Amino acid sequence: MRSPPIPEMATQEVQLNETLAHLKTESETLKSKLEEERAKLHDVELHQVAEKVEGLGQFVMKTRRTLKGHGNKVLCMDWCKDKRRIVSSSQDGKVIVWDAFTTNKEHAVTMPCTWVMACAYAPSGCAVACGGLDNKCSVYPLSLDKNENLAAKKKSVAMHTNYLSACSFTNSDMQILTSSGDGTCALWDVESGQLLQSFHGHAADVLCLDLAPSETGNTFVSGGCDKKANVWDMRSGQCIQSFETHESDINSVRYYPSGDAFASGSDDATCRLYDLRADREVAIYSKESIIFGVSSVDFSLSGRLLFGGYNDYTINVWDVLKGTRVSILFGHENRVSTLRVSPDGTAFCTGSWDHTLRIWA
Amino acid sequence: MSGSSNLVTMKKVVQQLRFEASINRVKVSQAAADLQQFCIQNALQDPLLTGVSSSTNPFRPQKVCSFL
């Protein structure tokens, strides 16, 4: 095969550089246009709209249960739909299923790896998924027989090329969504282990994800070390909206109960609220005195309260509409690493590096 | 050739930006009003907000055992 003469190659090179320069200019123009469009609609702040809303009174929230049993840092937890069972995972490789009412341990599994950073309860309540430094997400069916070895029935579902940071079942036990240190998210079929869709767009580790409430359709939001929060279409794999206002890693993302917005928690010590229809950040929850990162966030049932677990061992409770802090909760003796409100909104659970989980109400 | 892979990447970036620029947006005042409306409509069904009494919150009553 004749290689092209040198002058021809030079022309090709020039054309390539011209096209590249063209595209760069277009991307800059589009970015400014995006900012302009978003700014045009920024006619008021959320807390201004909320001025007429009645303020919230004093909150009395205390630790009602303490779950002890993990031998090392608790990294993740999830509620079962039955509103009383909880699955938690830890740095020492243990995954425990608890009855939060009685504080009894119902199941325990030892994973073959340490740092089990992600765990999730299946919607049926019959299985749990977990993973971490093994780069996988595995599903364990929960047996009614307490003596049965859960590890024997383990099913490997997801395979990433770096650590698993988060996982969540979709509306059924059949599919799992995962996020990873390899910068991608992925949707898997549990039965076959097949990859159904992958989501590329983050420029660094993806640390968290949350599925939109089922009424709002097939989307999910992810947050990463690239300071971006991305909203994805689950069927096409496309990133449909992207938000970049945080100043550091985004450790947690959670949809507002209506599905029209989501909150994020970051190492920059702030929580933020992004409205999907306005396509912009609409609130920042921060105080000068709060300087430690937020590890996890969740809303109360009506969306009026935002709970944030922080690296300074506290939980801050925010009035979502007014932007003010309504309460600060103490109790944990190390970082709060995970926080979820129960499915019926009667309590929330926190997990900490102090090896315990606490139920607050 | 690294030039052509840069091109592919840039094309994707521009495509994504074109898509994001084209979505329909509402004013913040409208979006904020809707968020507020949702909060208010659901406030009474929010146990952590209203502070549901001990008799209905399974976590609130501390277990008390008294031996007589």
Side-chain angles (χ1 to χ4, degrees), chain A residues 16 26 34 41 43-44 49-50 53 59-60 64-65 101 239 256 275 277-280 300-302 345-347, chain B residues 3 7 14 16 18 25-29 31-32 34-36 38-39 42 45-49 57-60:
Chain A
L16 201 71
E26 191 179 353
L34 251 176
L41 300 163
D43 53 348
V44 78
V49 167
V53 176
F59 278 94
V60 178
R64 305 291 173 171
R65 302 284 191 280
F101 286 1
C239 171
Y256 185 78
D275 188 288
R277 298 177 319 139
D279 188 38
R280 63 173 296 124
S300 70
L301 230 55
S302 66
T346 52
Chain B
L7 198 65
V14 170
Q16 180 63 26
R18 275 190 201 144
R25 294 177 189 81
V26 307
K27 284 193 180 164
V28 175
S29 50
D34 291 345
L35 289 176
Q36 185 174 301
F38 186 89
C39 276
N42 292 284
Q45 279 83 52
D46 186 344
L48 286 168
L49 186 67
N57 187 328
F59 290 107
R60 278 207 171 183

Side-chain angles (χ1 to χ4, degrees), chain A residues 329-340:
Chain A
L329 305 174
F330 301 95
H332 277 297
E333 293 165 18
N334 207 321
R335 284 193 188 190
V336 178
S337 53
T338 180
L339 186 159
R340 298 293 301 249

Side-chain angles (χ1 to χ4, degrees), chain A residues 7 17 25 35 48 64 83 121 142 164 255 276 321 339:
Chain A
N17 286 338
T25 322
E35 275 183 45
Q48 287 172 303
R64 305 291 173 171
K83 312 157 221 171
Y121 230 114
L142 294 175
L164 187 83
Y255 270 92
L276 295 171
L321 299 179
L339 186 159

Side-chain angles (χ1 to χ4, degrees), chain B:
Chain B
M1 217 169 91
S2 68
S4 53
S5 72
N6 273 349
L7 198 65
V8 169
T9 316
M10 271 317 285
K11 276 190 180 162
K12 280 193 187 154
V13 168
V14 170
Q15 221 167 15
Q16 180 63 26
L17 284 169
R18 275 190 201 144
F19 175 82
E20 286 180 26
S22 68
I23 69 171
N24 286 325
R25 294 177 189 81
V26 307
K27 284 193 180 164
V28 175
S29 50
Q30 177 64 53
D34 291 345
L35 289 176
Q36 185 174 301
Q37 182 68 355
F38 186 89
C39 276
I40 293 171
Q41 272 173 348
N42 292 284
L44 291 175
Q45 279 83 52
D46 186 344
L48 286 168
L49 186 67
T50 59
V52 168
S53 72
S54 304
S55 53
T56 34
N57 187 328
F59 290 107
R60 278 207 171 183
Q62 295 286 347
K63 287 209 182 125
V64 175
C65 273
S66 47
F67 291 90
L68 299 169

Side-chain angles (χ1 to χ4, degrees), chain A residues 8-276:
Chain A
E8 202 176 299
M9 269 174 80
T11 321
Q12 280 180 357
E13 178 101 35
V14 167
Q15 278 175 350
L16 201 71
N17 286 338
E18 266 177 21
T19 321
L20 212 62
H22 240 288
L23 286 172
K24 280 204 174 121
T25 322
E26 191 179 353
S27 98
E28 292 309 309
T29 318
L30 283 168
K31 278 185 193 160
S32 319
K33 183 172 176 225
L34 251 176
E35 275 183 45
E36 233 180 84
E37 291 298 312
R38 281 174 170 171
K40 265 187 211 166
L41 300 163
H42 189 198
D43 53 348
V44 78
E45 297 291 335
L46 174 60
H47 64 84
Q48 287 172 303
V49 167
E51 250 157 42
K52 302 213 182 91
V53 176
E54 216 180 290
L56 298 172
Q58 281 295 337
F59 278 94
V60 178
M61 265 180 247
K62 293 194 269 186
T63 301
R64 305 291 173 171
R65 302 284 191 280
T66 305
L67 306 180
K68 294 186 185 175
H70 276 295
N72 212 320
K73 305 177 173 71
V74 177
L75 302 175
C76 188
M77 60 77 44
D78 191 20
W79 288 89
C80 177
K81 284 210 159 91
D82 72 0
K83 312 157 221 171
R84 72 185 277 171
R85 280 174 183 78
I86 282 178
V87 62
S88 62
S89 63
S90 157
Q91 184 194 338
D92 66 357
K94 290 258 186 351
V95 174
I96 299 178
V97 175
W98 314 76
D99 176 334
F101 286 1
T102 62
T103 74
N104 289 338
K105 297 177 204 37
E106 297 201 337
H107 303 273
V109 167
T110 305
M111 292 279 285
C113 66
T114 56
W115 287 90
V116 188
M117 295 171 238
C119 63
Y121 230 114
S124 67
C126 299
V128 292
C130 53
L133 286 188
D134 58 352
N135 300 357
K136 294 188 206 166
C137 184
S138 306
V139 175
Y140 292 85
L142 294 175
S143 165
L144 288 169
D145 176 2
K146 305 273 162 78
N147 293 322
E148 191 176 347
N149 182 10
L150 286 186
K153 293 241 173 89
K154 166 178 162 177
K155 202 179 179 53
S156 256
V157 174
M159 279 288 290
H160 278 280
T161 53
N162 208 325
Y163 65 89
L164 187 83
S165 54
C167 62
S168 174
F169 284 86
T170 59
N171 290 332
S172 75
D173 285 21
M174 315 307 289
Q175 292 181 356
I176 286 190
L177 193 57
T178 57
S179 64
S180 165
D182 67 13
T184 72
C185 297
L187 181 65
W188 309 83
D189 176 271
V190 173
E191 193 53 50
S192 63
Q194 197 191 355
L195 173 68
L196 298 171
Q197 185 62 262
S198 66
F199 306 89
H200 298 260
H202 278 287
D205 306 22
V206 187
L207 300 178
C208 51
L209 61 84
D210 192 37
L211 272 132
S214 37
E215 309 79 53
T216 29
N218 287 338
T219 60
F220 73 94
V221 60
S222 64
C225 291
D226 57 358
K227 311 174 204 171
K228 280 202 199 151
N230 289 339
V231 180
W232 308 87
D233 179 317
M234 272 169 68
R235 275 171 292 211
S236 67
Q238 167 146 48
C239 171
I240 45 187
Q241 281 171 280
S242 186
F243 304 90
E244 195 174 350
T245 61
H246 271 294
E247 294 166 19
S248 188
D249 298 1
I250 297 178
N251 298 313
S252 176
V253 285
R254 195 73 69 211
Y255 270 92
Y256 185 78
S258 72
D260 287 333
F262 68 90
S264 58
S266 163
D267 274 351
D268 68 9
T270 71
C271 300
R272 294 174 197 237
L273 186 69
Y274 298 90
D275 188 288
L276 295 171

